[in-house]
Amino acid sequence: MSHQKRILCIGAGYVGGPTMAVMAMKCPEYRFDVVDINPDRIARWNSDQLPIFEPGLDEVVRGARGRNLFFSTDIADGIRAADIIFVSVNTPTKTFGEGAGMASDLQYWERTAHEIVEHAEGDKIIVEKSTLPVRTAEAMERILKANTRGRRFEVVSNPEFLSEGTAVRDLLEGDRVLIGAHESDSGRAAAESVADIYRHWMAEDRIIMTSVWSSELSKLVANAFLAQRISSINAVSALCEKTDADVGEIARAVGSDSRIGSRFLNASVGFGGSCFKKDILNLVYIARSYHLHEVADYWEMVVRLNEFQMHRFVQRMVREMFNTVAGKRIALFGFAFKADTGDTRESPAITVARLLLDERAKLIVSDPQALENARMDLADAGEGVTYTPDPYTAAEGADAVAVLTEWRQYRDLDFERIFRSMRQPAFLFDGRNILDHHALRKIGFQVYPLGSRALNSF
Ligand code: NAD
Ligand code: UGA
């Protein structure tokens, strides 16, 4: 079947795969090709074992794959055939040279620009899907325009706002689609072509058109605002533990002001994920590069507060367990950075586990989806860590349980059984405040909710 338009996505990761799958489902008259340099990833996209776990994704992929959705490693061919090229390669924090630990590492991004120049035969619209520093489109354009050879390249910014664990729902029912383009006839036409894809299922008033620079910067700012809310409530949680106030009650009282809103006010052991820290540090780096040091310091505190929260959580564990956890068995319930994903990138569980290992604790890590990644994250920890998907096995003979991921199934566990199998006194540290703390106290646990008074017998 010949398709009206051909769309290519370079980068078959957490963003590229689900985004193209949903687009293919909604736009049957277009053909979508997803390419990647990693052949294993592509093989898994073509198998029944998709490379990422996302609720609902299997069905969407199965419905479109082989019809108008194709995964391959043939990047050159993909570029030649495409009308529109989405680029959703990874843009991690730089680990070397100028800006190490702060700036975005754009080597993967730049490589795609050169590949496009090398293989494109006609005009192309290039869509920045990756999260990028403001004014990156300028660099992409310079590379492309230095090599036009009669071809026209138009760069459009279309950042992605999906969250892991709810990617399919976010893509189908997102609050908005943001498209940034240059203020020229060709820029506007390119933005319209991209908007036409989304118009298949998104209402017109949810499609926001801006300049390229506003679009690029909006993405960093959106993540910074979300993370800032978590750091704000986590800062309050520390104060609550000193004053007998309850952070959950405060979140409810404060969040019911419609100007503030109730979402993203769950105090936690800390935020994780591949993007919040990276994007804020990128924002900080950009602000510093313009000598806006107060602006940079302001946003940097969001990340520093997050580090403080993870350390504070472990310090409280050690203090409450009679100032030593050396040789004690601690069961970690959850290792993923949030529920409904197997992703552990920047998971607070990694920091908590490492700090506990420094204190010579013995860890039993449990998680329904993330054990494969957890094993890699703690590969150097040796015999200090064991792994099991079953929380009951993890808790057997343990001195403490620490809840680090808000998996729903942890709420429904038989805590009487867990309590009986543990060493006494049995400690429970709820780093996500998902459990019924009064019920646990009744069973006999020494309970430490986050951001409120301990329920204990000491
Ligand atoms: P990822 O690491 O899961 O996937 C990126 C893929 O790009 C990898 O499979 C890699 O092999 C491939 N790649 C790298 N260079 C390539 C090249 N030259 N040619 C072909 N393929 C190449 O990353 P991700 O989580 O999908 O994130 C991608 C971008 O989207 C990042 O900028 C990120 O900040 C942003 N983002 C991520 C999320 C999220 O939830 N993960 C949400 C919104 C935005
Ligand atoms: C986040 C944003 O929510 C997305 O809009 C964005 O597209 C994405 O980053 C990105 O750019 O990568 P994600 O990291 O997948 O999505 O997940 P979130 O739901 O935002 O959670 C991030 C972290 O904050 C998790 O560790 C979560 O447990 C924590 N969190 C979240 C809290 O501690 N408290 C809350 O109230 C909410």
Side-chain angles (χ1 to χ4, degrees), residues 50 93 103 172 211 219-220 229 249 254 266 356 369 435:
L50 300 186
T93 301
L172 288 171
S211 76
K219 173 62 198 178
L220 295 183
R229 282 173 75 88
E249 291 179 349
V254 173
N266 294 324
L356 288 171
Q369 290 291 342
L435 303 180

Side-chain angles (χ1 to χ4, degrees), residues 170-234:
D170 293 341
L171 286 163
L172 288 171
E173 301 163 20
D175 290 335
R176 76 325 208 165
V177 163
L178 179 57
I179 301 173
H182 289 304
E183 303 226 341
S184 60
D185 287 347
S186 57
R188 272 186 289 271
E192 282 301 316
S193 291
V194 176
D196 278 344
I197 303 175
Y198 290 103
R199 287 191 180 111
H200 283 73
W201 75 98
M202 292 290 284
E204 194 63 41
D205 61 357
R206 293 199 173 193
I207 300 177
I208 302 175
M209 300 279 197
T210 66
S211 76
V212 179
W213 318 132
S214 300
S215 172
E216 288 178 338
L217 192 52
S218 294
K219 173 62 198 178
L220 295 183
V221 172
N223 273 356
F225 268 56
L226 289 168
Q228 181 203 43
R229 282 173 75 88
I230 303 168
S231 279
S232 296
I233 200 72
N234 282 346

Side-chain angles (χ1 to χ4, degrees), residues 321 325 327-331 364 395-401 422-429:
M321 293 174 77
V325 292
K328 291 182 181 166
R329 289 170 65 81
I330 300 179
I364 311 97
E396 243 172 65
D399 297 271
V401 166
M422 288 175 67
R423 261 195 2 155
Q424 304 301 329
F427 290 84
L428 199 146
F429 298 88

Side-chain angles (χ1 to χ4, degrees), residues 363-436:
L363 303 183
I364 311 97
V365 175
S366 184
D367 191 287
Q369 290 291 342
L371 287 190
E372 195 183 325
N373 284 327
R375 276 202 179 86
M376 287 192 274
D377 295 329
L378 300 177
D380 56 330
E383 288 176 3
V385 194
T386 51
Y387 303 87
T388 171
D390 178 31
Y392 295 106
T393 311
E396 243 172 65
D399 297 271
V401 166
V403 178
L404 301 183
T405 309
E406 67 277 29
W407 287 103
R408 273 210 77 77
Q409 51 264 54
Y410 293 154
R411 294 169 207 249
D412 306 324
L413 293 172
D414 178 351
F415 278 99
E416 305 244 10
R417 175 177 160 197
I418 289 175
F419 180 74
R420 281 197 307 274
S421 76
M422 288 175 67
R423 261 195 2 155
Q424 304 301 329
F427 290 84
L428 199 146
F429 298 88
D430 188 352
R432 294 290 184 168
N433 281 348
I434 54 167
L435 303 180
D436 181 341

